Amino acid sequence: MGKVLPLGGNYAVAYAVKACKPDVITAYPISPQTTIVERLSEFVANGELDAEFLHVESEHSALSVAIGAAAAGARTYSATCSQGLALMNELLYIMSHVRLPMVLTIVARALSAPINIWNDHSDFMSVIDSGWIMMMSASNQEAYDEIMLAYRIAEDPRVLLPVITSMDGYIQSHVVEPVEVVDDEDVISFAPKRKSWVTLDPDKPVTMGAVGDPNWYFEFQRQLWEAMKESRAVFDEAVAEFSKKFGRDYSAIETYKLDDAEVAIVGMGSFMGTIKAYVDRARKNGVKVGTLRVKLYRPFPSEDIVRALSNVKLVGVMDRALVPGSPTGGFLHSDVACAVRQAGLDVKTLGYIAGLGGKLLTMDNVKQMVDILLKYKDVKEVPKEPFFIGVRE
Amino acid sequence: MSKPLTVWDLPKDEFLAPGHRMCQGCAAAITIRHILKAAGKDVIVVMPTCCGEITSTVYPQTAWRVPWIHVAFENAAAVASGVSAAIEALKRKGEIPEEKDIKVIAIGGDGGTFDIGFQALSGTLERGDNVLYVCYDNEAYMNTGIQRSGATPLGAWTTTTPVGKVWRGEWRPKKRKDLIAIAIAHNVPYAATANPAFPVDLYTKVKKALSIKGPKLIHVLSTCVPGWRIEPEKAVEIAKLAVLTGMWINYEYENGVYRVTTPVPKRKPVSVYLRLQGRFRHLTDEDIKKIQELVDADVERINKLVGKQVIGPVES
């Protein structure tokens, strides 16, 4: 089944989207996302993919078209990042709250200003409260796999929420890796289009996007909370069948050498590869360090994280998006710290801010991060301010 | 030639249910009602945030007997494009029967069309999407409480162009932007103006627009009881006076040809229209003269487009 192809992350995603047979694709060009929709345009242009492709005049209209198309019963796809995602912002909330499924890929890029087309997670992190299920890959294979998982979860009648899949801009999107591309028939049999949601049908007229006054608004929100919670079980079912069918693993988190670790670094995305490489080096010198990578961000896998970190003394959480004025400086750190605290674990956390606007993470940077953990692992009070890794002070 | 239509010939079907919360005398309600009569049951309606949206769909009630969606303020055209694209794709894939003719109509106010929704509208028109866009134009942001929009006419009082010692209502010295010309500049096959006081004309135009594939635009004047400071029972009369004074011209554009659908051989002076409305009560004779000049110029422009004098001079 399938074949291994050398693919950049964007092309890997385009192959996966094609195999999922979307009815409507709509997007606006923005680096580094653009080659996804370029490749999809080629698939439509040469007849390999039967879809309506709408060239809209903004990302705002891209998501508006997507909402209209999904409401009318189409399987829908779009991709964006950074300012494009920011321009979509109000519609992200509307799509999830009208409970329409779709898949949107974020090729993670810094938010302006200064304008910067390089990678960090500030776009991804800016929409974590929008009611979308959110995943972040670290390899092009994962970026590919996320698409079919996303359609399957989004259209499950127990869920009916849109899904964001993500990868690091340039580091993944434009770097070629071997990717196992499954036969299209196997993809669509794993994620067949389900007519599971209410649509605009003249034979069964419905009103969508009605006014929710104080008597009803809260109840809609409450239902969304339940759907998001329910989606975790659907995610688990999907990844279980995925690994059975394709022999690959996709899980909410990935742990590395955590079993006997005293200290751990938690993070997301492609930087975790560099950190794993450093962990191997440090382990040779007897440093008991491990890593945990969060792949499913919404719903947040608190229990998985708590289980994995329960024997660690000190956790350093790396955020690649800065939240000025927040208690920790980063959403990932806040969420991890909250999960640990809710579970009553005696595990301390401190935070790093790293890799903003495309600043790369070197082995020396990771050494610095691990050294900080070793310095504070037996200290009662750890710094509350995040450590800014790799910045010129 | 067949007998001209009268209101008695219009379908008895009502797809806008009574009990909606639109104001007494609201021209938008009349307009929507006739649009739906023309469209019939196989239609999907998209509305941006506007009076008609907020008053017709207060959950758990709805006044719409056809499928309807509201998403946001500035994107009705784009949402309609998405609906239209979905229908296209699903027909091709056999999920919707090929022979089922489902029309897509976006209906928005002037704020959602002239201003915040302008970019999305341009996208829909230039791509050639199969959508009918109707703007019901009450000449200000009435839903939020009568604020000035890009469609507010010269001299009109609004809550953000109030009348004081310095300001005297809306001061844009020219005619507001020409929505029909803008649509035509996108090379649409059909564009028209209509008016709730002429429901058969409105009905006929919607019918015609829906028979044409591609993007179409109809611009409808929408008298507004609270916003224009008028009595509910005067709403249709004032809409009619707009046409009789040349403040509003009912015409259509079809594949390069302009046609005035309500000829006015002798015009009434604009003061007849203006003096019935509280929003213009502060206007001096001098102000009215200026508005009359703008209207005269517009009448001349339309007569030129049509190639003959279908709108006549002001009767003395």
Side-chain angles (χ1 to χ4, degrees), chain A residues 308-351:
Chain A
L309 296 178
S310 55
N311 295 319
V312 175
K313 284 183 178 172
L314 176 60
V315 177
V317 184
M318 176 182 67
D319 270 282
R320 300 200 52 213
L322 180 66
V323 190
S326 68
T328 63
F331 285 135
L332 181 61
H333 184 192
S334 290
D335 280 347
V336 169
C338 178
V340 164
R341 190 68 59 243
Q342 280 182 323
L345 280 194
D346 186 22
V347 175
K348 293 171 294 187
T349 65
L350 57 78

Side-chain angles (χ1 to χ4, degrees), chain B residues 210-283:
Chain B
L210 289 174
S211 74
I212 299 166
K213 205 168 157 74
K216 293 83 55 176
L217 183 138
I218 299 180
H219 182 196
V220 187
L221 181 71
S222 196
T223 41
C224 173
V225 170
W228 291 16
R229 296 290 189 249
I230 59 175
E231 297 303 318
E233 66 273 21
K234 296 269 188 210
V236 172
E237 184 187 329
I238 290 170
K240 193 170 181 180
L241 280 172
V243 170
L244 298 182
T245 56
M247 289 285 305
W248 185 266
I249 299 172
N250 275 341
Y251 68 106
E252 66 182 358
Y253 165 91
E254 195 181 356
N255 293 323
V257 179
Y258 292 84
R259 194 171 74 85
V260 168
T261 54
T262 314
V264 184
K266 279 252 182 274
R267 268 186 290 150
K268 291 181 188 303
V270 293
S271 58
V272 177
Y273 170 77
L274 299 172
R275 286 298 184 207
L276 282 174
Q277 303 176 44
R279 64 174 173 157
F280 293 120
R281 64 185 298 172
H282 57 282
L283 294 186

Side-chain angles (χ1 to χ4, degrees), chain A residues 203-226:
Chain A
D203 292 331
K204 279 177 280 175
V206 292
T207 289
M208 278 190 192
V211 178
D213 67 11
N215 200 27
W216 287 104
Y217 179 89
F218 199 177
E219 281 69 20
F220 281 104
Q221 303 288 330
R222 182 74 179 83
Q223 288 185 338
L224 186 70
W225 174 263
E226 287 302 313

Side-chain angles (χ1 to χ4, degrees), chain A residues 67-74 100 197 199-200 208, chain B residues 44 82-84 86-87 90 96:
Chain A
I67 293 173
L100 293 171
W197 65 99
T199 59
L200 299 167
M208 278 190 192
Chain B
I44 294 172
V83 171
S84 175
I87 293 169
L90 297 180
I96 295 176

Side-chain angles (χ1 to χ4, degrees), chain A residues 342-364:
Chain A
Q342 280 182 323
L345 280 194
D346 186 22
V347 175
K348 293 171 294 187
T349 65
L350 57 78
Y352 315 107
I353 303 295
L356 299 192
K359 186 85 83 186
L360 292 174
L361 192 76
T362 65
M363 289 296 246
D364 280 350

Side-chain angles (χ1 to χ4, degrees), chain A residues 160-208:
Chain A
L160 297 181
L161 287 173
V163 180
I164 282 170
T165 76
S166 188
M167 70 174 110
D168 280 329
Y170 297 112
I171 297 171
Q172 286 175 255
S173 65
H174 288 63
V175 172
V176 172
E177 291 180 343
V179 176
E180 188 186 337
V181 174
V182 185
D183 289 344
D184 284 5
E185 304 83 72
D186 291 324
V187 173
I188 201 71
S189 78
F190 176 76
K193 182 182 171 189
R194 298 179 70 170
K195 292 179 185 170
S196 48
W197 65 99
V198 176
T199 59
L200 299 167
D201 176 358
D203 292 331
K204 279 177 280 175
V206 292
T207 289
M208 278 190 192

Side-chain angles (χ1 to χ4, degrees), chain A residues 107-175:
Chain A
V107 185
R109 163 184 155 180
L111 283 169
S112 295
I115 185 168
N116 175 298
I117 62 165
W118 292 271
N119 166 242
D120 69 24
H121 295 168
S122 52
D123 51 5
F124 183 92
M125 284 296 174
S126 72
V127 299
I128 57 172
D129 62 344
S130 61
W132 287 54
I133 293 166
M134 296 178 75
M135 295 189 263
M136 180 171 275
S137 66
S139 69
N140 295 352
Q141 185 70 59
E142 280 183 354
Y144 172 90
D145 293 344
E146 279 181 2
I147 298 292
M148 58 178 129
L149 285 165
Y151 275 115
R152 187 178 155 124
I153 296 163
E155 293 175 6
D156 189 291
R158 291 166 289 175
V159 178
L160 297 181
L161 287 173
V163 180
I164 282 170
T165 76
S166 188
M167 70 174 110
D168 280 329
Y170 297 112
I171 297 171
Q172 286 175 255
S173 65
H174 288 63
V175 172

Side-chain angles (χ1 to χ4, degrees), chain A residues 14-298:
Chain A
Y15 273 100
V17 171
K18 176 181 76 109
C20 288
K21 300 189 193 306
D23 303 307
V24 175
I25 300 169
T26 176
Y28 189 78
I30 184 167
S31 302
Q33 169 280 123
T34 315
T35 52
I36 296 179
V37 291
E38 280 179 5
R39 182 46 65 94
L40 286 170
S41 304
E42 287 168 19
F43 289 143
V44 179
N46 64 22
E48 283 180 79
L49 171 59
D50 181 9
E52 286 293 305
F53 195 111
L54 265 82
H55 307 91
V56 285
E57 84 302 326
S58 70
E59 287 88 353
H60 194 281
S61 283
L63 206 54
S64 301
V65 163
I67 293 173
R75 176 175 270 194
T76 305
Y77 179 77
S78 188
T80 191
C81 59
S82 184
Q83 305 311 114
L85 186 67
L87 190 54
M88 284 182 179
N89 190 275
E90 68 162 343
L91 301 161
L92 292 168
Y93 293 77
I94 294 169
M95 182 139 215
S96 58
H97 288 71
V98 181
R99 304 292 298 279
L100 293 171
M102 82 168 279
V103 176
L104 171 72
T105 300
I106 298 174
V107 185
R109 163 184 155 180
L111 283 169
S112 295
I115 185 168
N116 175 298
I117 62 165
W118 292 271
N119 166 242
D120 69 24
H121 295 168
S122 52
D123 51 5
F124 183 92
M125 284 296 174
S126 72
V127 299
I128 57 172
D129 62 344
S130 61
W132 287 54
I133 293 166
M134 296 178 75
M135 295 189 263
M136 180 171 275
S137 66
S139 69
N140 295 352
Q141 185 70 59
E142 280 183 354
Y144 172 90
D145 293 344
E146 279 181 2
I147 298 292
M148 58 178 129
L149 285 165
Y151 275 115
R152 187 178 155 124
I153 296 163
E155 293 175 6
D156 189 291
R158 291 166 289 175
V159 178
L160 297 181
L161 287 173
V163 180
I164 282 170
T165 76
S166 188
M167 70 174 110
D168 280 329
Y170 297 112
I171 297 171
Q172 286 175 255
S173 65
H174 288 63
V175 172
V176 172
E177 291 180 343
V179 176
E180 188 186 337
V181 174
V182 185
D183 289 344
D184 284 5
E185 304 83 72
D186 291 324
V187 173
I188 201 71
S189 78
F190 176 76
K193 182 182 171 189
R194 298 179 70 170
K195 292 179 185 170
S196 48
W197 65 99
V198 176
T199 59
L200 299 167
D201 176 358
D203 292 331
K204 279 177 280 175
V206 292
T207 289
M208 278 190 192
V211 178
D213 67 11
N215 200 27
W216 287 104
Y217 179 89
F218 199 177
E219 281 69 20
F220 281 104
Q221 303 288 330
R222 182 74 179 83
Q223 288 185 338
L224 186 70
W225 174 263
E226 287 302 313
M228 182 61 86
K229 213 167 69 182
E230 183 73 19
S231 74
R232 180 54 205 268
V234 175
F235 172 89
D236 287 341
E237 283 172 28
V239 294
E241 200 192 311
F242 179 84
S243 83
K244 212 160 62 187
K245 198 169 163 83
F246 301 114
R248 278 197 301 280
D249 168 59
Y250 192 98
S251 52
I253 61 168
E254 177 201 59
T255 59
Y256 188 68
K257 298 194 176 171
L258 266 186
D259 288 345
D260 63 339
E262 286 186 315
V263 294
I265 295 177
V266 175
M268 293 169 73
S270 59
F271 273 22
M272 296 310 287
T274 311
I275 295 175
K276 272 156 75 173
Y278 183 78
V279 164
D280 288 343
R281 193 188 285 180
R283 284 261 168 189
K284 281 188 191 137
N285 298 326
V287 178
K288 288 187 171 174
V289 57
T291 70
L292 187 155
R293 177 164 66 89
V294 177
K295 297 201 256 181
L296 178 67
Y297 194 79
R298 287 287 181 261

